[in-house]
Amino acid sequence: MESGTRPRDALVAIDLLRFAAAAMVMLCHYFGEWAIVTRLGVGAGSGPSGLPTNSWLSSGWVGVEIFFVISGYVIALSASGSTAADFARRRLLRLWPGTLVCASLTALVLLIAGLSWDFIAPRLAASALMILWAKQIDPVYWSLLVECVFYTLVTVLLAVGRWNPVRVALYLSIWTLVYLAWVVSPASDALPAIKPVAEFFLAPFGAFFGMGILFQQAHGDPASVKSWMFLPSFLAAPVCIGAIGAIDGSPGSGEALLLFVTGVAVILLSPRLQVAFRSDRARRIAIALGLATYPLYLVHAYVGQALMVGGAALGLPPALTVGPVILLMIAAALFIALRVEPVIRWRMDQLLRPILPRAPRPVG
């Protein structure tokens, strides 16, 4: 979740899926988890919204797992032929500008909503500086830490000359299977300290990244991937989705799995789906929505919900404000992605070049 102007037409369908996954998460938070804002005490009496919900809306959290599959796909493509320094530079330039802008916007909204600066300041610093293991300005940043651990793994493997996408995909998927087997074993109760360490090193999510890597390899180099190689990730992913749903108390694990399978099908069929985007305008819209996914994911939760809480304080029911807030979040995400991030990214690039230089482009 590539830089602002990327002519990656082969990923147009995936860009739209990425945006759809972010929309799923947003709808889940607005209709299924309104209480997130009340945990921070935003507004007075901001209880359940009364917005209609169902198991499909409440299952939108699985959009994050779809993100991880997409990330595996995109990173396998991005790492191909790249040096460790160039890969790290591009990842940092992709993430940091949006994180800085979205964290600042969230902090401003929470400050206006009445939270103390003493509460906001350390969380703003942690998010804006990407100190992702500290408390964040918004809980949605948890998945950014997972992504960055994955990027770090790829960077290290590139640096030591051990980046083999198929092998990495298999190891990640098997790692998740081993973790799942360990969780249900008596050893997990006897050694509880191992679980958070394993989770930090991608144990619950490795199969999703591995699945995405294998899809990309199957599209780019079909001879390198055998059908059996998908088995570990295909076995682990449904178990992980069911476990996450149970932990979160989601009423729709079956719906979440169906949404996930639909997303995976789009990724699998993405090369064929490209023919649906023959016009330049359709491609530009799809790419813009794909770029807007990252800021939309980061700003929608506390910012959007705080706006609805504020509207409720003015006597406007959330059922009336939720539509305009959704449109406002999408518009803000597009503005950040297309107008604000590129400027910050360019300036950051100038600062990073002496430390992480660009890889030379091949001639011809």
Side-chain angles (χ1 to χ4, degrees):
M1 303 167 175
E2 277 320 82
S3 63
T5 57
R6 46 169 183 55
R8 298 180 301 113
D9 290 343
L11 296 182
V12 170
I14 290 179
D15 279 331
L16 288 177
L17 175 63
R18 193 194 318 242
F19 181 79
M24 287 164 51
V25 175
M26 177 170 60
L27 293 176
C28 174
H29 284 160
Y30 288 178
F31 290 86
E33 298 181 11
W34 174 265
I36 281 182
V37 171
T38 69
R39 293 173 198 158
L40 277 185
V42 177
S46 53
S49 67
L51 290 172
T53 190
N54 55 50
S55 56
W56 290 99
L57 288 170
S58 297
S59 299
W61 54 265
V62 81
V64 177
E65 280 63 42
I66 295 174
F67 284 148
F68 292 154
V69 180
I70 293 173
S71 184
Y73 190 106
V74 173
I75 293 308
L77 188 63
S78 179
S80 177
S82 179
T83 65
D86 193 45
F87 176 83
R89 181 188 61 82
R90 284 185 281 115
R91 288 297 95 201
L92 193 58
L93 290 174
R94 175 67 187 100
L95 294 181
W96 201 357
T99 305
L100 178 62
V101 174
C102 293
S104 301
L105 178 59
T106 301
L108 177 62
V109 170
L110 294 181
L111 193 63
I112 294 172
L115 273 72
S116 70
W117 177 245
D118 290 342
F119 179 91
I120 293 172
R123 289 165 171 77
L124 171 60
S127 299
L129 298 176
M130 295 189 69
I131 307 172
L132 298 173
W133 52 89
K135 289 186 177 180
Q136 300 297 302
I137 194 69
D138 189 316
V140 297
Y141 283 69
W142 74 267
S143 63
L144 189 54
L145 174 60
V146 176
E147 294 273 3
C148 286
V149 173
F150 175 54
Y151 299 161
T152 301
L153 171 64
V154 176
T155 302
V156 171
L157 292 174
L158 287 171
V160 299
R162 296 291 185 178
W163 170 248
N164 181 310
V166 173
R167 188 173 298 171
V168 170
L170 282 172
Y171 287 165
L172 284 171
S173 300
I174 293 171
W175 170 224
T176 299
L177 282 177
V178 171
Y179 168 77
L180 292 173
W182 178 82
V183 165
V184 298
S185 72
S188 63
D189 294 328
L191 299 169
I194 293 179
K195 186 177 180 181
V197 176
E199 289 176 349
F200 179 82
F201 287 104
L202 305 178
F205 310 109
F208 300 107
F209 292 114
M211 187 185 297
I213 293 172
L214 286 177
F215 280 139
Q216 194 282 319
Q217 287 296 111
H219 289 161
D221 185 12
S224 67
V225 180
K226 308 300 181 184
S227 298
W228 63 265
M229 295 178 177
F230 286 95
L231 186 59
S233 60
F234 283 0
L235 287 174
V239 177
C240 290
I241 289 171
I244 293 169
I247 292 170
D248 291 346
S250 173
S253 292
E255 287 84 348
L257 185 57
L258 286 173
L259 290 171
F260 178 78
V261 169
T262 301
V264 167
V266 172
I267 298 172
L268 179 62
L269 298 173
S270 59
R272 297 184 180 182
L273 294 174
Q274 299 309 116
V275 297
F277 300 93
R278 294 177 179 175
S279 73
D280 289 339
R281 182 176 181 181
R283 289 175 182 267
R284 286 197 300 269
I285 292 173
I287 290 173
L289 290 174
L291 291 170
T293 297
Y294 182 49
L296 177 62
Y297 177 78
L298 292 183
V299 302
H300 80 271
Y302 276 180
V303 172
Q305 292 177 8
L307 290 175
M308 284 189 278
V309 169
L314 297 174
L316 300 174
L320 183 64
T321 58
V322 65
V325 166
I326 288 173
L327 294 177
L328 179 61
M329 293 299 98
I330 294 173
L334 285 166
F335 180 77
I336 292 170
L338 302 179
R339 294 289 182 265
V340 182
E341 281 189 64
V343 176
I344 299 175
R345 183 174 294 116
W346 182 84
R347 294 188 179 278
M348 286 184 175
D349 192 18
Q350 307 308 304
L351 295 174
L352 289 175
R353 280 189 184 185
I355 306 170
L356 298 172
R358 289 177 181 268
R361 298 294 182 188
V363 178

